[in-house]
Amino acid sequence: MATQDFEKLGAFYLGREYDPQTRVLAAEPLLYDSRDLTTHAVCVGMTGSGKTGLCIGLIEEAALDGIPTLIVDPKGDIANLMLTFPGLSAAEFRPWIDAGEAARRGITPDELATRTASSWQQGLAEWGQDGDRIRRLKEAAEVTIYTPGSRAGQPLSVLRSFAPPAGGGDPAALGERIAGAVSGLLGLVGIEADPLQSREHILLSSVVAAAWNQGHALDLAGLIGAIQKPPFDKVGVFDLETFYPAKERLGLAMALNRLLAAPGFSTWLEGDALDIQRLLYTPEGRPRISIVSIAHLNDAERMFVVTLLLNELLGWMRQQPGTSALRALFYMDEIFGYFPPSALPPSKLPMLTLLKQARAFGLGLVLATQNPVDLDYKGLSNAGTWFIGRLQTERDQQRVIEGLTSALAGGGFDRPTLEKLMAGIAPRVFLMRNVHDDAPLLFQTRWVLSWLRGPLTLPEIERLMAPHKPLAAPPAAPAAPGVAAKPAASNRPVLPAGINEVFLAARPGSGELVYRPRIAATAELHFADKAAGVDAWTKLALLAPLGDVDGAPLWAEAAEVPNLDPALAAGPIDGAQFAELPGPALRAASYAEWGRALAAHLYQNGGREFLGCRALKLTSAAGETEGDFRARLAHVLHEHRDQEVDKLRDRHAVKLKTLEDRLRRAGERVEREKSQYTQRQLDTVVSIGSSVLGAIFGGRRGAASRAGTAARSAGRVFSERGDVARAGENLEVLTAERDALLRLIEQESAELIARLDPARIELTRLSIAPRKSDLTIGRLMLAWEPWRRADDGFPRPAALLS
C-alpha cells in the first residue's frame, strides 16, 4: 500500500520494527493508529537520540491526515518544519546552508548544499518516500512560527487572555483560568505567588473575577487602575484596607506599570490574538501547524506564555463536542520545569487537567523531554503511549524504569522486560509501549520530510517568516464623512436616569484620547427553515455611529462586534476627553424609539447565509464561518473514516489471520519436507555406495540384500520429492489466496478514501431571514468609543475590539 493511502486511513507511518540482536529492520512499515494519540504520548530521550525527528515525524503524519497541531518550541528545533523542499534540489537547500559548517568540512557552501540535497533524497528513498510526499505535506497544512514579545516571527498578543472566555464557563474552570493567568503575570514581575497565601495573587484574582463576572475585559492599564481602586471593599471577611492597604497596593501597581512601560513591551500587545481556533485552522478552514517559539524569552516570560496558552487551550477544548477521533494535537518539545513531581508552577494544573480530560474531546497531547529525572510520572500515567529513546546515564534509565513501573503498575511495564529492551536502544531507535497494543516493541524512526537543520535563531526565523507575514495595513483613515466628531469637550456628559452607559476598552498607547459617542445594541434572532434543517438562535451585538442630522444611530452602518461584553472597560481612562453628545442621545425615550427602528432594520436586512452539506446532513451554525464549518466537516469525515476502517478491519481480519497462519504452517512444512528429502538423498547415496563397495570387496554374499536396501532408499527419495512438490503447490495456492485478499482490502480502502475525500464535499448556500415574531431587542446603551490622536495629528480608533 502506498504512503498516501496510510495518510488517508488514519495510520501514521513511524518507521519499521527493529531487532536489537540482528540489528535488522522489518520489511513492513510500522503504522500507528491516529486515535491512539487521544490517550496522549510521552517521548523521552537524550540529545542525539532522535527524539526531535520522531516528534516532527508524528506532526508531519498528523498534518498529512488533516490534523492541526499547536506547538510550544523552547529550543527552536521544531521551526525546522518550515524547511520542506519538494524538489530536493541543491538550490532549495542553499539559502539555509551554514557557511561556517562548509568551511570546517573544507568545501564550498554550494558543494555542501549539493551533498545535503543528495543525502536527504537518498534517506527518503530508503524509507519509501520522495519529494511528492513533501509536496503533499506543504499542501496539507499551513506552518506559522509565532514569537511572542518579538517581531522576528509572527507576533502573538496575550491581551485577550485577560478577557472573559466567550460563552462563560463553570465557576471552577473560570477560577483555574484566572489563577493561571495571574500566576503567570506575577511571575513576569518577579513575584512567586501562592494562590492560597499570597496577598498579591488573591487581590489580582479578585479584581479579574469581578470584571469577568460583569462581562468586562481588563487590559494591563485597566488592571493597574483596579489595583489602586478595586471594585470591592472586602476580601473575604476583611476590609480591603486591612487585607491590603492602599500604600502597599501602590507598590504592586508600580511593579506592573514598570512592566507596561518597559522598552519593547509593546510587542507583547501586537500581532494575532491568542485564539486557539485560529491557531489550529486558517479562516478558510485549512489545518495549521502553529509553532509558538519561546527560545528567546527568559524563564518567567516562558512560564507566562505557556500558562496562558494552556489555559486558552483548555477553554477552547471545553467548547468542542465529544469525539473518539483525533481532532487536534498539542506538542511541547521540553516539559522539564513545567510538570515537576512536587512543585506547582502555574503551568502544571492546566497541563494535568488536559491530560485527564482532553481525550473525550479528541485533543491529543505529545510531551517530550530529555531530562527524565524531575517529572511527575504519576501525572504522566494518563499517557497511553510512551516512546523511550537512548538515555544519557544509568541514573536516567533507572529513573525512567522506576517511574514507569510505579505509575503504570499493571500496564505492561515490568523491570526485567524494560531493562532488556532498553539495552538494545541505538540512535533513532525507540522503545514504544502503547496501551492499545499487546506488548512493547523496538522500532527505528523513518526519515522525516522536513530538513533537520538544527535550532533556528531569531534572525533566521525572521528570514524564514518574511514571505509569510501579511503586508502592513495602511493607517486607519480619519473619521469618515458624516460621522466626524464635533470638537471635544473637556467634561464627561451627565446622563439622566434610564440611560445605560458603557466604555469600550482602549489599546495602550500614547497621544490624546477622546471618547466618541456610539450606540451599542444587543439582539437575539431566530432563523428557521424546516426543509433545510435550520433551527438556529443567535445573539449579536452592534455598534452604530450617530447621524449628524437627527442624532439617531445609523443602523445600516453599524458594525457587528463578536464579543462586546469582554471588550468593555470598567470606566473611562483618567484624563480622557469626551466628544459632544447629540441632544437625542440625552433623552431616555429616544432609546426605545431606536430599538423599534433596529428591530425593523434587522427584519429587513438581518438575513444570514447558512451552509449545508447534504452528504453528511449537516448545516452550519449561526455565525459559523465557512472556514470553521469546513474544518468541522473534515473532522466528521475523520470520524466516519475511522468507523469504516474498523468495519473493513473486522470484515477481513479473521480470514487474513487464518490465511497467515496457514501460510506459516505451509512454509514450515515445505522446509520440513525439503529437509527430509535432503536427508533421504544422503541416505540413498550412502546405501548405493555401500552396495557397490560390498559387491567389490564382499563377494557375492549379501550383495542381493544390499541391492534391495539401495533400491528401497531410492524409492523413498522419489516419494519425498513428491511430498516437497505437493507442499510447494499448497504454499503457492495459499500465497495466491492471501494476495487476492490483500488486493481486495486495498481496493475497498481506495473506494473508502475516495468516498470520504473532503475535496469532494459540496456545500449548498441558503439565505434565511429572521423570524419576525421571535426577534428580540436586548440592551441599548450609549457606548463611548476611544479614539487616539496619532503622530500625524489625525485621530484614529483605539478600541480593543477582537
Side-chain angles (χ1 to χ4, degrees), residues 379-699:
L380 292 175
S381 65
N382 293 281
T385 301
W386 284 75
F387 299 107
I388 303 172
R390 197 175 185 182
L391 297 173
Q392 190 163 11
T393 65
E394 180 70 20
R395 176 172 173 263
D396 289 345
Q397 182 172 314
Q398 291 303 315
R399 180 66 185 98
V400 170
I401 292 175
E402 290 170 5
L404 293 179
T405 52
S406 61
L408 305 180
F413 276 119
D414 62 89
R415 182 177 288 272
T417 301
L418 278 176
E419 290 178 344
K420 181 179 178 181
L421 289 171
M422 290 176 71
I425 294 179
R428 284 185 57 200
V429 173
F430 285 82
L431 166 64
M432 179 175 74
R433 174 54 179 141
N434 184 352
V435 295
H436 306 280
D437 295 339
D438 296 331
L441 59 85
L442 290 172
F443 73 98
Q444 187 175 90
T445 58
R446 67 162 175 81
W447 200 274
V448 295
L449 304 175
S450 310
W451 179 37
L452 300 184
R453 179 183 182 272
L456 297 181
T457 63
L458 276 183
E460 289 170 334
I461 290 175
E462 185 172 18
R463 183 157 59 99
L464 191 60
M465 280 294 297
H468 304 277
K469 287 185 179 180
L471 296 175
V483 294
K486 292 182 173 63
S490 58
N491 296 325
R492 173 180 168 184
V494 178
L495 302 180
I499 298 179
N500 189 9
E501 180 184 40
V502 296
F503 298 85
L504 295 175
R507 289 193 300 269
S510 59
E512 181 187 37
L513 192 72
V514 178
Y515 283 101
R516 298 186 173 186
R518 302 286 185 262
I519 298 299
T522 62
E524 187 172 33
L525 286 71
H526 182 201
F527 301 93
D529 189 311
K530 188 174 182 180
V534 175
D535 187 6
W537 292 81
T538 184
K539 296 179 180 180
L540 76 157
L542 299 171
L543 193 65
L546 295 171
D548 286 339
V549 178
D550 58 2
L554 304 174
W555 295 122
E557 299 178 19
E560 188 169 338
V561 182
N563 297 293
L564 177 62
D565 285 341
L568 299 179
I573 292 178
D574 291 342
Q577 294 187 332
F578 289 78
E580 184 178 337
L581 188 64
L586 289 167
R587 296 193 293 271
S590 299
Y591 291 80
E593 179 184 342
W594 294 343
R596 291 189 292 271
L598 174 59
H601 169 77
L602 289 175
Y603 178 66
Q604 294 293 330
N605 305 285
R608 293 292 177 93
E609 182 180 76
F610 287 81
L611 301 172
C613 176
R614 291 194 180 97
L616 297 176
K617 299 180 180 179
L618 291 174
T619 307
S620 63
E624 185 175 24
T625 66
E626 180 175 341
D628 289 343
F629 183 54
R630 287 187 180 276
R632 180 156 65 93
L633 290 179
H635 181 70
V636 172
L637 287 173
H638 273 143
E639 291 178 318
H640 289 346
R641 188 262 324 266
D642 290 344
Q643 294 169 3
E644 293 299 318
V645 167
D646 286 342
K647 292 177 183 177
L648 188 150
R649 184 185 295 117
D650 294 342
R651 191 161 58 246
H652 298 296
V654 174
K655 186 175 181 180
L656 185 59
K657 187 177 187 309
T658 301
L659 281 173
E660 294 287 359
D661 290 343
R662 291 176 64 189
L663 270 170
R664 177 181 52 78
R665 291 195 296 270
E668 292 172 353
R669 183 184 173 192
V670 167
E671 293 301 319
R672 187 168 59 251
E673 296 292 351
K674 283 183 178 179
S675 176
Q676 292 176 358
Y677 173 60
T678 301
Q679 185 62 43
R680 291 297 183 191
Q681 282 182 312
L682 181 61
D683 292 344
T684 300
V685 170
V686 171
S687 296
I688 293 174
S690 298
S691 176
V692 172
L693 290 173
I696 295 174
F697 298 104

Side-chain angles (χ1 to χ4, degrees), residues 7 64 80 129 136 251 255 257 352 376 430 513 528 559 608 713 732 767 771:
E7 299 157 12
L64 286 162
N80 290 167
Q129 304 176 108
R136 293 199 301 276
N257 189 64
L352 185 59
D376 184 353
F430 285 82
L513 192 72
R608 293 292 177 93
S713 296
E732 290 177 1
S767 182
R771 293 184 61 174

